[in-house]
Amino acid sequence: MPSNTTAPPAKKKGRRARLILLVLVLALVAGVGYGGFWGVTTVRASFPQTTGEIRLDSLSGEVEVKRDANGVPQIYADNEADLFRAQGYVQAQDRFYEMDVRRHVTAGRLSEMFGESQIETDSFLRTLGWRRVAQQEYDKVLSPETKKYLQAYAEGVNAYLKDRDPADVSVEYAALALTNDYAIEPWTPVDSVAWLKAMAWDLRGNMQDEIDRSLMTSRMSASQIKQLYPDYPYALHQPIVDGGAVDESTGKFDPKGSAGDGDGDLTTGETPGDVPGSGSDSSGSSGSSGSSSGGSGAQSQLGALSEVLDGVPALLGPNGNGIGSNSWVVSGQYTTSGKPLLANDPHLAPQLPSLWYQMGLHCRSVSATCRYDVSGYTFSGMPGVIIGHNDKIAWGLTNLGADVTDLYLEKIGPDGYLVDGKVKPFTVRDETIKVAGGEDRTITVRSTERGPLVSDRSSDLEKVGQKAPVGNAAPDRGTGYGVSLQWTALQPGKSMDAIFALDRAKDFDQFRAAAKNFEVPSQNLIYADTEGHIGYQSPGKIPQRAKGDGTLPAPGWDSSYRWKGYIPFEQLPYEYNPKRGYIVTANQAVIDAKDYPDLLTKDWGYGSRSQRINDLIESKTKDGGKISPDDMRTMQTDNRSEIATLLNPLLLKIDISDPYVREAQKLLEGWDYTQEPDSAAAAYFNAVWRNVLKLSFGNKLPKELRAEGDCINVRPADATGPVDEQNKLVRECGQRDPDSAQPDGGDRWYEVVRPLLKQEKSEWWVTPGNRTDQATETRDQLLARAMKDARWELTAKLGKDVSTWSWGRLHQLTLKNQTLGTAGPGVVQQLLNRGPWNLGGGEAAVDATGWNAAGGYEVIWVPSMRMVVNVGDWDKSRWINLTGASGHAFNSHYTDQTDAWAKGDLYDWAYGRAAVDAATKDTLKLKP
């Protein structure tokens, strides 16, 4: 989910030699150069059969697969088992290579496909143990019904694989065969369950912030770090739930509460009942505030952990501020249709094929024994529909961002780890990693009562914590601490049960009952139904800490920092038909902290996107205005820069004497802050913003946070006294993957800069001089220098003539094949990758084509799909995917939706049988 693809990390040097060997076979397979007839035949051998009939032994009745002009399938069956068998078969037809790579990631078995370069990554993944936990869920936790669905899905996948050579499954296997005797294994139900662990990892919350704050202590004071992590601006950006409170007498969250505005049903005045079976055995009250680790010492060794994290394939995208989404729902009282409208666009890494797979699952006759009539977005490799609608309700999701991970410093010795003065033994297991073309490797995984000792996976990490920011009560440091990880997803849960329950839910009570089991990853769930109701629920297994707030690594030797339980589901915030008539979730704070006793996180997204959506809805509905489905689509593509509204007026006041810089400054005059692909003003402003961040913050951060290749002369971290011959400046280069480096320019940095822009003098405006620039001491001096630097940066990138500049030429999206297209010779990328596309939008805009200001302007996360659901009039809903239905590189549906996606267009979304039949281009019958 490199750091923003499903690929093994591209930075592993061992990959390059092997990729060079693959060039010839890929050229042949693609029919390029030497390919001729054999190449075309090989490519087409893996394309799916989409018409005619296919016999499958596992089916009990006939199944129809109807595909539209974009290859999107709608499946019709007479029973649930056949429905999910067909889903497995069809997804394997289009996407099996993607599914296979994905399960090797989740199981820590990449080395079996790609060789010894992946041993380090596999070692870390085995230490986390995603697959082990998935197996425990399947064996002990999931319902018998869910397991039957998973088994049926696996039967469908394996029916497709039966008697097929790997090269007939996907062209990438022909390439792998050149250097590897890799054989495809049968699909198992646990392969599907494990995918949710990978999803949870990428949406895990503030773990990187926890590390970064510790790393900052090597160069910054506690007050400086606090300025770089400001409190959520509740006065400026409204949270999701506007009021409400936990009733002390019942322990349940009341959406009306003392400050709430919900009044139940907008039509009948009713309120939803209690969630069936929602009792909880969790105990405890709110987590206390305050850090678990004080002091101002350095902890630069935590950079080693950060590097290990960079090496783990991010299946959804770079973890942090950018991983998010937009979703909102508007009540029928404010819509042209008189029924709710619901929009959703998750912001994830650009992948090829897209993470999402569009599909409909329909029982021909919905009954007690065949209950599914659902359509939406699925994950290939997993049964069910994740986001979409059935015949009664629609739902969407965004990342809640709850703090569900804690790092613990562990005082370790030969016999175990210290807790309250006593040594406890590690739980130990061995893991054997099979390596293509090499010898097996065996690693030992040690775990504490909290979780795995992640520091065992790096020789550098063995010394983590020598200078960790812990108080004077710390035990003797010896050779340093280990670091363990406690994470909710490493405990067996019922999230897979929740998927099927959501697909079947008919009202808000059933929706909430399903959400109760959506334990990890913790998501914001929005809701609308055909009766006109709208709602919101924040589900998830969210820890209650006995002490500490999860913002820094905690001392594992002190049991008072334990997790004492989880917030009971009944206490989690929700809304039902709020008076304002709409609900917006875009990774902002869920509820004002003063109104809520429990700690969800200290590291929210800062609400720029959500507030812009709120403002757009309010402006459209004031004075009796109504919102149409096309208005919802237009809102999704809103690309206004919120930081520009603050910074641009100041930039225009700077007296610029250099005519070349003044020429660029003029671009900002009259600019409306929109970031269209052809906008020269957007290009220049974003370059200025990037340079403002670099000068004021980036050059002051430790190397572990700065991007690779970002080298500056700095005072040594352990220096004392003035800079002199004994204490002179040293050259220091950044170590962080550019996609996750800081300052990333997201809306946290908006809130950092907002108060500083009112201060002519601040320590952050002070920068040293160099051969071409004088030192800066004031805001305007730094802004002038940033404008100059941006002018010459864009001159190098886009040319001297500012009239030819455009944001899209800087801000490009290239779609990369999930493995072989992420590195290596250009021929490979030309064959498997697509693009570039020049995009508008930007960081923390509603049209969130994200880029990392510390790393460059390249698009690193995107609205991975968009949908606008017309509730009740389902066939007037619209949707689009980032790429296409197919994972086959030369299939017509590989990227057939991308051009329309880039323009902000949506396609018609057929749901009812008549609409599906009218849209059908190919029909395939699967028969017993």
Side-chain angles (χ1 to χ4, degrees), residues 342 344 374-375 385-390 393-397 499 502-505 511 525-528 867 869:
L342 185 150
N344 197 187
V374 61
S375 184
V385 168
I386 310 301
I387 297 173
H389 71 82
N390 57 34
I393 76 166
W395 69 95
L397 57 83
I499 300 300
L502 280 173
D503 288 354
R504 299 189 304 261
F511 173 79
L525 289 170
I526 61 166
Y527 167 94
M867 73 177 192
V869 183

Side-chain angles (χ1 to χ4, degrees), residues 236 238 582 584 608-621 640 642:
L236 294 172
Q238 64 195 71
Y582 60 88
V584 175
S608 288
R609 282 182 288 111
S610 62
Q611 192 57 46
R612 176 63 175 166
I613 297 167
N614 274 294
D615 291 345
L616 289 170
I617 294 172
E618 290 178 10
S619 66
K620 190 69 179 177
T621 56
R640 189 175 80 153
E642 295 303 304

Side-chain angles (χ1 to χ4, degrees), residues 164-279:
R164 277 186 168 83
D165 291 330
D168 293 333
V169 174
S170 193
V171 69
E172 288 90 343
Y173 291 114
L176 283 179
L178 189 66
T179 57
N180 188 352
D181 58 356
Y182 177 77
I184 298 174
E185 295 179 356
W187 192 263
T188 73
V190 180
D191 292 333
S192 297
V193 179
W195 165 238
L196 282 175
K197 298 302 168 188
M199 182 180 174
W201 174 254
D202 286 343
L203 301 175
R204 64 192 178 272
N206 76 335
M207 182 172 163
Q208 190 67 61
D209 288 328
E210 189 175 334
I211 293 170
D212 287 356
R213 276 186 285 259
S214 292
L215 293 171
M216 285 179 183
T217 61
S218 68
R219 293 205 175 273
M220 295 180 175
S221 67
S223 63
Q224 289 174 320
I225 295 171
K226 171 65 176 172
Q227 288 182 67
L228 300 187
Y229 288 90
D231 292 335
Y232 184 86
Y234 290 102
L236 294 172
H237 299 159
Q238 64 195 71
I240 297 171
V241 175
D242 187 14
V246 175
D247 188 322
E248 294 183 2
S249 64
T250 65
K252 294 181 179 180
F253 184 83
D254 180 354
K256 292 178 286 186
S258 60
D261 67 358
D263 69 342
D265 189 340
L266 291 166
T267 307
T268 66
E270 298 171 354
T271 56
D274 293 336
V275 176
S278 59

